[in-house]
Amino acid sequence: MNQPVIPQIKSYKQLRQAVGYIGIALPVVIIIGGLILQHCFELQGSISKYYHTIMRNYFVGSLCAVALFLWFYRGYDKDPKDKFDIGDNLAGNLAALFALGVAFFPCRIEANDITPCITSIYDHKIIGIIHLASAFLFFMTLAYFSIFQFTKGKKPKKNKIYRFCGYTIVVSLLLIVVYILILEYKRPFLDKLKPMFILETIALWAFGISWLVKGEALLKKME
């Protein structure tokens, strides 16, 4: 006979699922919303730049929702034998703070970022730096969850998925750094391909899939 699901465990699964769904939906909804509400037929340079469009409230609201879920998320306890293990509680709290940093410290808008949907320059360097740092640390914390925390479960096949998702986030971030710092002289050409938006979307989807698998919304019977 199947054992009844403990309410607390079920609530953790629901939290994981909610975080995963929001992560996957964010880039899709801001594109569709911008298209319908503001006739944005062109992708913006990054997901964060949608803060400066009509989709600002959805962008900020999604990040605040993720931050709220992560703040109250409790998963695996810290392993005292592992010096690199900070535990789900602290990792969740840090990720929540970084998510709020992304939401409330908007990215910079320079002259070459102006589009029919972004009509004014927003050149606050310190706020822009805080935004970039928060975004980088937010994604790195999510990668930490996938690579180190989720893999504590004894399910080898799922652990491979978690690690793949985590390393996908890391690689996406490294490519964004390369794009910003090393390939800056080629950016007029690359900007047409919207590499930051694509890489951020890949990272968000990897994060979302990882949390949906952990929340058993996907691949529930896989060991």
Side-chain angles (χ1 to χ4, degrees), residues 9 13 16 76 146 149-163 213-216 218-223:
I9 295 177
K13 291 180 180 179
R16 292 164 178 160
Y76 294 104
S146 295
Q149 294 300 112
F150 288 175
T151 53
K152 288 181 178 180
K154 300 183 182 300
K155 296 184 177 181
K157 292 182 180 180
K158 283 190 175 182
N159 287 348
K160 289 181 181 179
I161 295 175
Y162 299 140
R163 291 191 180 96
V213 172
K214 192 64 179 178
E216 298 186 355
L218 294 176
L219 306 176
K220 183 176 182 179
K221 296 182 179 180
M222 179 181 284
E223 293 298 328

Side-chain angles (χ1 to χ4, degrees), residues 68-83:
L68 181 65
F69 290 141
L70 289 171
W71 184 265
F72 289 105
Y73 175 71
R74 300 292 181 270
Y76 294 104
D77 293 329
K78 179 179 179 180
D79 183 357
K81 297 180 181 179
D82 187 352
K83 62 180 180 180

Side-chain angles (χ1 to χ4, degrees), residues 33-103:
L35 179 63
I36 295 174
L37 300 176
Q38 202 175 4
H39 305 293
C40 293
F41 296 100
E42 178 185 2
L43 287 180
Q44 306 309 306
S46 69
I47 291 175
S48 294
K49 286 185 170 63
Y50 278 86
Y51 174 93
H52 301 280
T53 72
I54 200 170
M55 296 306 294
R56 173 187 298 180
N57 290 342
Y58 182 82
F59 174 80
V60 173
S62 295
L63 287 170
C64 288
V66 169
L68 181 65
F69 290 141
L70 289 171
W71 184 265
F72 289 105
Y73 175 71
R74 300 292 181 270
Y76 294 104
D77 293 329
K78 179 179 179 180
D79 183 357
K81 297 180 181 179
D82 187 352
K83 62 180 180 180
F84 296 106
D85 186 359
I86 64 174
D88 275 2
N89 186 9
L90 179 56
N93 289 348
L94 289 174
L97 293 175
F98 298 144
L100 293 177
V102 176

